[in-house]
PDB file of all heavy atoms in Angstrom:
ATOM      1  N   LEU A   1     -34.700 -95.010 -21.848  1.00 96.00           N
ATOM      2  CA  LEU A   1     -34.764 -93.592 -21.488  1.00 96.00           C
ATOM      3  C   LEU A   1     -36.123 -92.962 -21.720  1.00 96.00           C
ATOM      4  O   LEU A   1     -36.442 -91.965 -21.063  1.00 96.00           O
ATOM      5  CB  LEU A   1     -33.698 -92.820 -22.280  1.00 96.00           C
ATOM      6  CG  LEU A   1     -32.235 -93.178 -21.991  1.00 96.00           C
ATOM      7  CD1 LEU A   1     -31.308 -92.379 -22.869  1.00 96.00           C
ATOM      8  CD2 LEU A   1     -31.910 -92.925 -20.518  1.00 96.00           C
ATOM      9  N   ILE A   2     -36.931 -93.539 -22.634  1.00 96.00           N
ATOM     10  CA  ILE A   2     -38.235 -92.923 -22.934  1.00 96.00           C
ATOM     11  C   ILE A   2     -39.385 -93.884 -22.719  1.00 96.00           C
ATOM     12  O   ILE A   2     -40.278 -93.627 -21.916  1.00 96.00           O
ATOM     13  CB  ILE A   2     -38.251 -92.342 -24.350  1.00 96.00           C
ATOM     14  CG1 ILE A   2     -37.196 -91.224 -24.495  1.00 96.00           C
ATOM     15  CG2 ILE A   2     -39.640 -91.767 -24.696  1.00 96.00           C
ATOM     16  CD1 ILE A   2     -37.148 -90.557 -25.841  1.00 96.00           C
ATOM     17  N   SER A   3     -39.390 -95.015 -23.427  1.00 94.00           N
ATOM     18  CA  SER A   3     -40.521 -95.924 -23.345  1.00 94.00           C
ATOM     19  C   SER A   3     -40.776 -96.432 -21.934  1.00 94.00           C
ATOM     20  O   SER A   3     -41.931 -96.503 -21.475  1.00 94.00           O
ATOM     21  CB  SER A   3     -40.323 -97.110 -24.294  1.00 94.00           C
ATOM     22  OG  SER A   3     -40.303 -96.690 -25.643  1.00 94.00           O
ATOM     23  N   ASP A   4     -39.706 -96.781 -21.229  1.00 94.00           N
ATOM     24  CA  ASP A   4     -39.870 -97.356 -19.882  1.00 94.00           C
ATOM     25  C   ASP A   4     -40.236 -96.303 -18.834  1.00 94.00           C
ATOM     26  O   ASP A   4     -40.480 -96.657 -17.681  1.00 94.00           O
ATOM     27  CB  ASP A   4     -38.577 -98.065 -19.457  1.00 94.00           C
ATOM     28  CG  ASP A   4     -38.321 -99.348 -20.237  1.00 94.00           C
ATOM     29  OD1 ASP A   4     -39.255 -99.780 -20.966  1.00 94.00           O
ATOM     30  OD2 ASP A   4     -37.229 -99.916 -20.118  1.00 94.00           O
ATOM     31  N   GLN A   5     -40.274 -95.023 -19.246  1.00 93.00           N
ATOM     32  CA  GLN A   5     -40.539 -93.969 -18.270  1.00 93.00           C
ATOM     33  C   GLN A   5     -41.976 -93.445 -18.336  1.00 93.00           C
ATOM     34  O   GLN A   5     -42.316 -92.477 -17.665  1.00 93.00           O
ATOM     35  CB  GLN A   5     -39.590 -92.782 -18.539  1.00 93.00           C
ATOM     36  CG  GLN A   5     -38.111 -93.134 -18.453  1.00 93.00           C
ATOM     37  CD  GLN A   5     -37.704 -93.629 -17.075  1.00 93.00           C
ATOM     38  OE1 GLN A   5     -38.188 -93.143 -16.050  1.00 93.00           O
ATOM     39  NE2 GLN A   5     -36.812 -94.621 -17.038  1.00 93.00           N
ATOM     40  N   GLN A   6     -42.836 -94.102 -19.142  1.00 89.00           N
ATOM     41  CA  GLN A   6     -44.191 -93.573 -19.331  1.00 89.00           C
ATOM     42  C   GLN A   6     -45.018 -93.580 -18.054  1.00 89.00           C
ATOM     43  O   GLN A   6     -45.956 -92.803 -17.924  1.00 89.00           O
ATOM     44  CB  GLN A   6     -44.906 -94.389 -20.433  1.00 89.00           C
ATOM     45  CG  GLN A   6     -44.167 -94.385 -21.775  1.00 89.00           C
ATOM     46  CD  GLN A   6     -43.946 -93.004 -22.337  1.00 89.00           C
ATOM     47  OE1 GLN A   6     -44.881 -92.309 -22.680  1.00 89.00           O
ATOM     48  NE2 GLN A   6     -42.693 -92.557 -22.398  1.00 89.00           N
ATOM     49  N   ASP A   7     -44.679 -94.446 -17.095  1.00 90.00           N
ATOM     50  CA  ASP A   7     -45.397 -94.496 -15.820  1.00 90.00           C
ATOM     51  C   ASP A   7     -44.675 -93.746 -14.701  1.00 90.00           C
ATOM     52  O   ASP A   7     -45.109 -93.788 -13.557  1.00 90.00           O
ATOM     53  CB  ASP A   7     -45.625 -95.950 -15.393  1.00 90.00           C
ATOM     54  CG  ASP A   7     -46.525 -96.708 -16.358  1.00 90.00           C
ATOM     55  OD1 ASP A   7     -47.416 -96.078 -16.936  1.00 90.00           O
ATOM     56  OD2 ASP A   7     -46.310 -97.924 -16.560  1.00 90.00           O
ATOM     57  N   ASN A   8     -43.607 -93.065 -15.070  1.00 94.00           N
ATOM     58  CA  ASN A   8     -42.859 -92.300 -14.079  1.00 94.00           C
ATOM     59  C   ASN A   8     -43.703 -91.103 -13.618  1.00 94.00           C
ATOM     60  O   ASN A   8     -44.137 -90.284 -14.438  1.00 94.00           O
ATOM     61  CB  ASN A   8     -41.555 -91.799 -14.715  1.00 94.00           C
ATOM     62  CG  ASN A   8     -40.602 -91.190 -13.688  1.00 94.00           C
ATOM     63  OD1 ASN A   8     -41.031 -90.518 -12.749  1.00 94.00           O
ATOM     64  ND2 ASN A   8     -39.313 -91.412 -13.891  1.00 94.00           N
ATOM     65  N   PRO A   9     -43.960 -90.988 -12.296  1.00 93.00           N
ATOM     66  CA  PRO A   9     -44.829 -89.901 -11.818  1.00 93.00           C
ATOM     67  C   PRO A   9     -44.258 -88.509 -12.082  1.00 93.00           C
ATOM     68  O   PRO A   9     -45.012 -87.517 -12.068  1.00 93.00           O
ATOM     69  CB  PRO A   9     -44.936 -90.189 -10.309  1.00 93.00           C
ATOM     70  CG  PRO A   9     -43.746 -91.056 -10.005  1.00 93.00           C
ATOM     71  CD  PRO A   9     -43.490 -91.871 -11.222  1.00 93.00           C
ATOM     72  N   LYS A  10     -42.958 -88.399 -12.343  1.00 92.00           N
ATOM     73  CA  LYS A  10     -42.356 -87.099 -12.626  1.00 92.00           C
ATOM     74  C   LYS A  10     -42.534 -86.688 -14.083  1.00 92.00           C
ATOM     75  O   LYS A  10     -42.215 -85.561 -14.460  1.00 92.00           O
ATOM     76  CB  LYS A  10     -40.870 -87.122 -12.270  1.00 92.00           C
ATOM     77  CG  LYS A  10     -40.610 -87.296 -10.787  1.00 92.00           C
ATOM     78  CD  LYS A  10     -39.109 -87.254 -10.473  1.00 92.00           C
ATOM     79  CE  LYS A  10     -38.864 -87.411  -8.961  1.00 92.00           C
ATOM     80  NZ  LYS A  10     -37.408 -87.388  -8.652  1.00 92.00           N
ATOM     81  N   TRP A  11     -43.005 -87.634 -14.895  1.00 96.00           N
ATOM     82  CA  TRP A  11     -43.270 -87.310 -16.294  1.00 96.00           C
ATOM     83  C   TRP A  11     -44.733 -86.943 -16.459  1.00 96.00           C
ATOM     84  O   TRP A  11     -45.608 -87.593 -15.904  1.00 96.00           O
ATOM     85  CB  TRP A  11     -42.937 -88.527 -17.190  1.00 96.00           C
ATOM     86  CG  TRP A  11     -41.470 -88.791 -17.329  1.00 96.00           C
ATOM     87  CD1 TRP A  11     -40.531 -88.816 -16.352  1.00 96.00           C
ATOM     88  CD2 TRP A  11     -40.771 -89.098 -18.545  1.00 96.00           C
ATOM     89  NE1 TRP A  11     -39.285 -89.101 -16.845  1.00 96.00           N
ATOM     90  CE2 TRP A  11     -39.409 -89.284 -18.206  1.00 96.00           C
ATOM     91  CE3 TRP A  11     -41.163 -89.233 -19.867  1.00 96.00           C
ATOM     92  CZ2 TRP A  11     -38.434 -89.589 -19.163  1.00 96.00           C
ATOM     93  CZ3 TRP A  11     -40.198 -89.542 -20.834  1.00 96.00           C
ATOM     94  CH2 TRP A  11     -38.859 -89.711 -20.468  1.00 96.00           C
ATOM     95  N   GLN A  12     -45.010 -85.915 -17.250  1.00 95.00           N
ATOM     96  CA  GLN A  12     -46.381 -85.446 -17.446  1.00 95.00           C
ATOM     97  C   GLN A  12     -46.814 -85.681 -18.878  1.00 95.00           C
ATOM     98  O   GLN A  12     -46.037 -85.561 -19.829  1.00 95.00           O
ATOM     99  CB  GLN A  12     -46.485 -83.961 -17.114  1.00 95.00           C
ATOM    100  CG  GLN A  12     -46.175 -83.642 -15.649  1.00 95.00           C
ATOM    101  CD  GLN A  12     -46.326 -82.165 -15.355  1.00 95.00           C
ATOM    102  OE1 GLN A  12     -46.207 -81.317 -16.248  1.00 95.00           O
ATOM    103  NE2 GLN A  12     -46.603 -81.852 -14.084  1.00 95.00           N
ATOM    104  N   LYS A  13     -48.111 -86.002 -19.025  1.00 95.00           N
ATOM    105  CA  LYS A  13     -48.653 -86.199 -20.370  1.00 95.00           C
ATOM    106  C   LYS A  13     -48.969 -84.846 -20.996  1.00 95.00           C
ATOM    107  O   LYS A  13     -49.548 -83.983 -20.356  1.00 95.00           O
ATOM    108  CB  LYS A  13     -49.927 -87.058 -20.283  1.00 95.00           C
ATOM    109  CG  LYS A  13     -50.437 -87.493 -21.650  1.00 95.00           C
ATOM    110  CD  LYS A  13     -51.627 -88.448 -21.507  1.00 95.00           C
ATOM    111  CE  LYS A  13     -52.070 -88.962 -22.861  1.00 95.00           C
ATOM    112  NZ  LYS A  13     -53.203 -89.935 -22.743  1.00 95.00           N
ATOM    113  N   ARG A  14     -48.548 -84.685 -22.234  1.00 94.00           N
ATOM    114  CA  ARG A  14     -48.767 -83.442 -22.955  1.00 94.00           C
ATOM    115  C   ARG A  14     -49.340 -83.720 -24.347  1.00 94.00           C
ATOM    116  O   ARG A  14     -49.030 -84.742 -24.953  1.00 94.00           O
ATOM    117  CB  ARG A  14     -47.451 -82.678 -23.116  1.00 94.00           C
ATOM    118  CG  ARG A  14     -46.905 -82.084 -21.828  1.00 94.00           C
ATOM    119  CD  ARG A  14     -47.602 -80.754 -21.531  1.00 94.00           C
ATOM    120  NE  ARG A  14     -47.015 -80.112 -20.364  1.00 94.00           N
ATOM    121  CZ  ARG A  14     -47.448 -80.244 -19.118  1.00 94.00           C
ATOM    122  NH1 ARG A  14     -48.485 -81.037 -18.857  1.00 94.00           N
ATOM    123  NH2 ARG A  14     -46.849 -79.628 -18.135  1.00 94.00           N
ATOM    124  N   LYS A  15     -50.150 -82.818 -24.836  1.00 95.00           N
ATOM    125  CA  LYS A  15     -50.533 -82.834 -26.237  1.00 95.00           C
ATOM    126  C   LYS A  15     -49.593 -81.868 -26.967  1.00 95.00           C
ATOM    127  O   LYS A  15     -49.172 -80.838 -26.412  1.00 95.00           O
ATOM    128  CB  LYS A  15     -51.992 -82.377 -26.419  1.00 95.00           C
ATOM    129  CG  LYS A  15     -53.011 -83.407 -25.969  1.00 95.00           C
ATOM    130  CD  LYS A  15     -54.421 -82.944 -26.283  1.00 95.00           C
ATOM    131  CE  LYS A  15     -55.436 -84.005 -25.887  1.00 95.00           C
ATOM    132  NZ  LYS A  15     -56.828 -83.556 -26.196  1.00 95.00           N
ATOM    133  N   LEU A  16     -49.295 -82.215 -28.201  1.00 96.00           N
ATOM    134  CA  LEU A  16     -48.343 -81.378 -28.938  1.00 96.00           C
ATOM    135  C   LEU A  16     -48.829 -79.936 -29.034  1.00 96.00           C
ATOM    136  O   LEU A  16     -48.034 -78.990 -28.940  1.00 96.00           O
ATOM    137  CB  LEU A  16     -48.138 -81.961 -30.343  1.00 96.00           C
ATOM    138  CG  LEU A  16     -47.074 -81.274 -31.222  1.00 96.00           C
ATOM    139  CD1 LEU A  16     -45.715 -81.316 -30.550  1.00 96.00           C
ATOM    140  CD2 LEU A  16     -47.003 -81.939 -32.601  1.00 96.00           C
ATOM    141  N   GLY A  17     -50.131 -79.778 -29.171  1.00 96.00           N
ATOM    142  CA  GLY A  17     -50.682 -78.417 -29.277  1.00 96.00           C
ATOM    143  C   GLY A  17     -50.490 -77.592 -28.016  1.00 96.00           C
ATOM    144  O   GLY A  17     -50.630 -76.348 -28.070  1.00 96.00           O
ATOM    145  N   ASP A  18     -50.179 -78.226 -26.871  1.00 95.00           N
ATOM    146  CA  ASP A  18     -49.923 -77.482 -25.634  1.00 95.00           C
ATOM    147  C   ASP A  18     -48.569 -76.792 -25.648  1.00 95.00           C
ATOM    148  O   ASP A  18     -48.351 -75.819 -24.899  1.00 95.00           O
ATOM    149  CB  ASP A  18     -49.999 -78.420 -24.418  1.00 95.00           C
ATOM    150  CG  ASP A  18     -51.385 -79.024 -24.224  1.00 95.00           C
ATOM    151  OD1 ASP A  18     -52.360 -78.409 -24.677  1.00 95.00           O
ATOM    152  OD2 ASP A  18     -51.463 -80.112 -23.625  1.00 95.00           O
ATOM    153  N   VAL A  19     -47.659 -77.348 -26.426  1.00 96.00           N
ATOM    154  CA  VAL A  19     -46.284 -76.834 -26.377  1.00 96.00           C
ATOM    155  C   VAL A  19     -45.735 -76.527 -27.779  1.00 96.00           C
ATOM    156  O   VAL A  19     -44.553 -76.261 -27.948  1.00 96.00           O
ATOM    157  CB  VAL A  19     -45.347 -77.879 -25.708  1.00 96.00           C
ATOM    158  CG1 VAL A  19     -45.612 -77.947 -24.207  1.00 96.00           C
ATOM    159  CG2 VAL A  19     -45.518 -79.257 -26.344  1.00 96.00           C
ATOM    160  N   ALA A  20     -46.617 -76.527 -28.794  1.00 96.00           N
ATOM    161  CA  ALA A  20     -46.137 -76.292 -30.159  1.00 96.00           C
ATOM    162  C   ALA A  20     -47.301 -75.772 -31.003  1.00 96.00           C
ATOM    163  O   ALA A  20     -48.459 -75.812 -30.602  1.00 96.00           O
ATOM    164  CB  ALA A  20     -45.573 -77.573 -30.740  1.00 96.00           C
ATOM    165  N   TRP A  21     -46.962 -75.304 -32.210  1.00 96.00           N
ATOM    166  CA  TRP A  21     -47.982 -74.812 -33.139  1.00 96.00           C
ATOM    167  C   TRP A  21     -47.516 -75.043 -34.574  1.00 96.00           C
ATOM    168  O   TRP A  21     -46.337 -75.216 -34.837  1.00 96.00           O
ATOM    169  CB  TRP A  21     -48.246 -73.319 -32.889  1.00 96.00           C
ATOM    170  CG  TRP A  21     -47.030 -72.445 -33.077  1.00 96.00           C
ATOM    171  CD1 TRP A  21     -46.650 -71.790 -34.219  1.00 96.00           C
ATOM    172  CD2 TRP A  21     -46.026 -72.142 -32.103  1.00 96.00           C
ATOM    173  NE1 TRP A  21     -45.496 -71.100 -34.016  1.00 96.00           N
ATOM    174  CE2 TRP A  21     -45.094 -71.299 -32.724  1.00 96.00           C
ATOM    175  CE3 TRP A  21     -45.852 -72.516 -30.748  1.00 96.00           C
ATOM    176  CZ2 TRP A  21     -43.974 -70.815 -32.055  1.00 96.00           C
ATOM    177  CZ3 TRP A  21     -44.727 -72.032 -30.092  1.00 96.00           C
ATOM    178  CH2 TRP A  21     -43.808 -71.195 -30.732  1.00 96.00           C
ATOM    179  N   VAL A  22     -48.496 -75.071 -35.475  1.00 95.00           N
ATOM    180  CA  VAL A  22     -48.194 -75.247 -36.878  1.00 95.00           C
ATOM    181  C   VAL A  22     -47.665 -73.919 -37.426  1.00 95.00           C
ATOM    182  O   VAL A  22     -48.287 -72.880 -37.223  1.00 95.00           O
ATOM    183  CB  VAL A  22     -49.446 -75.676 -37.687  1.00 95.00           C
ATOM    184  CG1 VAL A  22     -49.143 -75.724 -39.183  1.00 95.00           C
ATOM    185  CG2 VAL A  22     -49.933 -77.046 -37.213  1.00 95.00           C
ATOM    186  N   ALA A  23     -46.520 -73.965 -38.071  1.00 91.00           N
ATOM    187  CA  ALA A  23     -45.885 -72.767 -38.606  1.00 91.00           C
ATOM    188  C   ALA A  23     -46.744 -72.229 -39.763  1.00 91.00           C
ATOM    189  O   ALA A  23     -47.016 -72.960 -40.731  1.00 91.00           O
ATOM    190  CB  ALA A  23     -44.489 -73.073 -39.102  1.00 91.00           C
ATOM    191  N   LYS A  24     -47.200 -71.005 -39.665  1.00 83.00           N
ATOM    192  CA  LYS A  24     -48.011 -70.376 -40.698  1.00 83.00           C
ATOM    193  C   LYS A  24     -47.115 -69.487 -41.570  1.00 83.00           C
ATOM    194  O   LYS A  24     -46.491 -68.550 -41.044  1.00 83.00           O
ATOM    195  CB  LYS A  24     -49.145 -69.557 -40.093  1.00 83.00           C
ATOM    196  CG  LYS A  24     -50.115 -70.381 -39.240  1.00 83.00           C
ATOM    197  CD  LYS A  24     -50.843 -71.423 -40.068  1.00 83.00           C
ATOM    198  CE  LYS A  24     -51.839 -72.198 -39.229  1.00 83.00           C
ATOM    199  NZ  LYS A  24     -52.518 -73.243 -40.006  1.00 83.00           N
ATOM    200  N   LYS A  25     -47.064 -69.776 -42.842  1.00 79.00           N
ATOM    201  CA  LYS A  25     -46.184 -69.006 -43.734  1.00 79.00           C
ATOM    202  C   LYS A  25     -46.885 -68.753 -45.045  1.00 79.00           C
ATOM    203  O   LYS A  25     -47.818 -69.458 -45.433  1.00 79.00           O
ATOM    204  CB  LYS A  25     -44.890 -69.797 -43.978  1.00 79.00           C
ATOM    205  CG  LYS A  25     -44.076 -70.009 -42.712  1.00 79.00           C
ATOM    206  CD  LYS A  25     -42.800 -70.779 -43.020  1.00 79.00           C
ATOM    207  CE  LYS A  25     -41.989 -70.983 -41.730  1.00 79.00           C
ATOM    208  NZ  LYS A  25     -40.764 -71.735 -41.972  1.00 79.00           N
ATOM    209  N   LYS A  26     -46.426 -67.741 -45.762  1.00 86.00           N
ATOM    210  CA  LYS A  26     -46.973 -67.438 -47.074  1.00 86.00           C
ATOM    211  C   LYS A  26     -46.365 -68.365 -48.121  1.00 86.00           C
ATOM    212  O   LYS A  26     -45.167 -68.643 -48.077  1.00 86.00           O
ATOM    213  CB  LYS A  26     -46.667 -65.983 -47.444  1.00 86.00           C
ATOM    214  CG  LYS A  26     -47.410 -64.970 -46.558  1.00 86.00           C
ATOM    215  CD  LYS A  26     -47.092 -63.558 -47.018  1.00 86.00           C
ATOM    216  CE  LYS A  26     -47.854 -62.535 -46.182  1.00 86.00           C
ATOM    217  NZ  LYS A  26     -47.572 -61.133 -46.603  1.00 86.00           N
ATOM    218  N   PRO A  27     -47.189 -68.815 -49.055  1.00 89.00           N
ATOM    219  CA  PRO A  27     -46.646 -69.661 -50.133  1.00 89.00           C
ATOM    220  C   PRO A  27     -45.574 -68.910 -50.919  1.00 89.00           C
ATOM    221  O   PRO A  27     -45.631 -67.676 -51.082  1.00 89.00           O
ATOM    222  CB  PRO A  27     -47.862 -69.929 -50.997  1.00 89.00           C
ATOM    223  CG  PRO A  27     -49.043 -69.724 -50.114  1.00 89.00           C
ATOM    224  CD  PRO A  27     -48.645 -68.635 -49.161  1.00 89.00           C
ATOM    225  N   MET A  28     -44.585 -69.651 -51.417  1.00 87.00           N
ATOM    226  CA  MET A  28     -43.517 -69.062 -52.211  1.00 87.00           C
ATOM    227  C   MET A  28     -44.086 -68.540 -53.543  1.00 87.00           C
ATOM    228  O   MET A  28     -44.894 -69.224 -54.174  1.00 87.00           O
ATOM    229  CB  MET A  28     -42.425 -70.094 -52.487  1.00 87.00           C
ATOM    230  CG  MET A  28     -41.771 -70.660 -51.239  1.00 87.00           C
ATOM    231  SD  MET A  28     -40.745 -69.439 -50.380  1.00 87.00           S
ATOM    232  CE  MET A  28     -39.494 -69.118 -51.632  1.00 87.00           C
ATOM    233  N   GLN A  29     -43.630 -67.385 -53.969  1.00 86.00           N
ATOM    234  CA  GLN A  29     -44.043 -66.821 -55.243  1.00 86.00           C
ATOM    235  C   GLN A  29     -43.010 -67.017 -56.350  1.00 86.00           C
ATOM    236  O   GLN A  29     -43.295 -66.861 -57.525  1.00 86.00           O
ATOM    237  CB  GLN A  29     -44.331 -65.311 -55.067  1.00 86.00           C
ATOM    238  CG  GLN A  29     -45.420 -65.014 -54.062  1.00 86.00           C
ATOM    239  CD  GLN A  29     -46.760 -65.656 -54.460  1.00 86.00           C
ATOM    240  OE1 GLN A  29     -47.174 -65.593 -55.605  1.00 86.00           O
ATOM    241  NE2 GLN A  29     -47.408 -66.273 -53.472  1.00 86.00           N
ATOM    242  N   ASN A  30     -41.800 -67.360 -55.929  1.00 85.00           N
ATOM    243  CA  ASN A  30     -40.697 -67.549 -56.896  1.00 85.00           C
ATOM    244  C   ASN A  30     -39.840 -68.738 -56.439  1.00 85.00           C
ATOM    245  O   ASN A  30     -39.287 -68.694 -55.347  1.00 85.00           O
ATOM    246  CB  ASN A  30     -39.865 -66.267 -57.004  1.00 85.00           C
ATOM    247  CG  ASN A  30     -38.782 -66.377 -58.057  1.00 85.00           C
ATOM    248  OD1 ASN A  30     -38.608 -67.430 -58.697  1.00 85.00           O
ATOM    249  ND2 ASN A  30     -38.045 -65.298 -58.268  1.00 85.00           N
ATOM    250  N   LEU A  31     -39.744 -69.762 -57.272  1.00 83.00           N
ATOM    251  CA  LEU A  31     -39.004 -70.959 -56.894  1.00 83.00           C
ATOM    252  C   LEU A  31     -37.663 -71.080 -57.603  1.00 83.00           C
ATOM    253  O   LEU A  31     -37.002 -72.116 -57.505  1.00 83.00           O
ATOM    254  CB  LEU A  31     -39.843 -72.219 -57.197  1.00 83.00           C
ATOM    255  CG  LEU A  31     -41.175 -72.330 -56.474  1.00 83.00           C
ATOM    256  CD1 LEU A  31     -41.848 -73.642 -56.823  1.00 83.00           C
ATOM    257  CD2 LEU A  31     -40.983 -72.238 -54.970  1.00 83.00           C
ATOM    258  N   SER A  32     -37.230 -70.032 -58.287  1.00 80.00           N
ATOM    259  CA  SER A  32     -35.965 -70.112 -58.999  1.00 80.00           C
ATOM    260  C   SER A  32     -34.808 -70.326 -58.017  1.00 80.00           C
ATOM    261  O   SER A  32     -34.721 -69.678 -56.977  1.00 80.00           O
ATOM    262  CB  SER A  32     -35.723 -68.834 -59.806  1.00 80.00           C
ATOM    263  OG  SER A  32     -35.671 -67.704 -58.940  1.00 80.00           O
ATOM    264  N   ASP A  33     -33.942 -71.268 -58.378  1.00 80.00           N
ATOM    265  CA  ASP A  33     -32.774 -71.630 -57.553  1.00 80.00           C
ATOM    266  C   ASP A  33     -33.133 -72.142 -56.171  1.00 80.00           C
ATOM    267  O   ASP A  33     -32.302 -72.137 -55.247  1.00 80.00           O
ATOM    268  CB  ASP A  33     -31.811 -70.429 -57.409  1.00 80.00           C
ATOM    269  CG  ASP A  33     -31.286 -69.945 -58.734  1.00 80.00           C
ATOM    270  OD1 ASP A  33     -31.037 -70.809 -59.606  1.00 80.00           O
ATOM    271  OD2 ASP A  33     -31.134 -68.719 -58.925  1.00 80.00           O
ATOM    272  N   ARG A  34     -34.337 -72.594 -56.012  1.00 84.00           N
ATOM    273  CA  ARG A  34     -34.771 -73.176 -54.732  1.00 84.00           C
ATOM    274  C   ARG A  34     -34.694 -74.689 -54.795  1.00 84.00           C
ATOM    275  O   ARG A  34     -35.101 -75.310 -55.765  1.00 84.00           O
ATOM    276  CB  ARG A  34     -36.214 -72.753 -54.402  1.00 84.00           C
ATOM    277  CG  ARG A  34     -36.352 -71.296 -54.030  1.00 84.00           C
ATOM    278  CD  ARG A  34     -35.825 -71.043 -52.632  1.00 84.00           C
ATOM    279  NE  ARG A  34     -36.111 -69.695 -52.176  1.00 84.00           N
ATOM    280  CZ  ARG A  34     -36.058 -69.306 -50.923  1.00 84.00           C
ATOM    281  NH1 ARG A  34     -35.728 -70.180 -49.988  1.00 84.00           N
ATOM    282  NH2 ARG A  34     -36.329 -68.073 -50.574  1.00 84.00           N
TER     283      ARG A  34
END
């Protein structure tokens, strides 16, 4: 379903950064009960 389809003309090559981003969050200040 995936590996054998890499040469399929209907499949397009993408970089992860084209369709995703690194989640930016503030560091935790309190870890109690975490």
Side-chain angles (χ1 to χ4, degrees):
L1 296 178
I2 298 182
S3 295
D4 289 350
Q5 301 299 322
Q6 302 303 293
D7 295 328
N8 190 323
K10 295 182 179 180
W11 288 46
Q12 297 182 335
K13 189 175 184 178
R14 290 278 185 267
K15 287 185 178 180
L16 185 58
D18 296 335
V19 288
W21 60 93
V22 174
K24 300 296 182 182
K25 297 181 180 179
K26 292 182 179 180
M28 300 291 297
Q29 300 301 314
N30 184 358
L31 298 183
S32 60
D33 299 323
R34 289 285 188 163

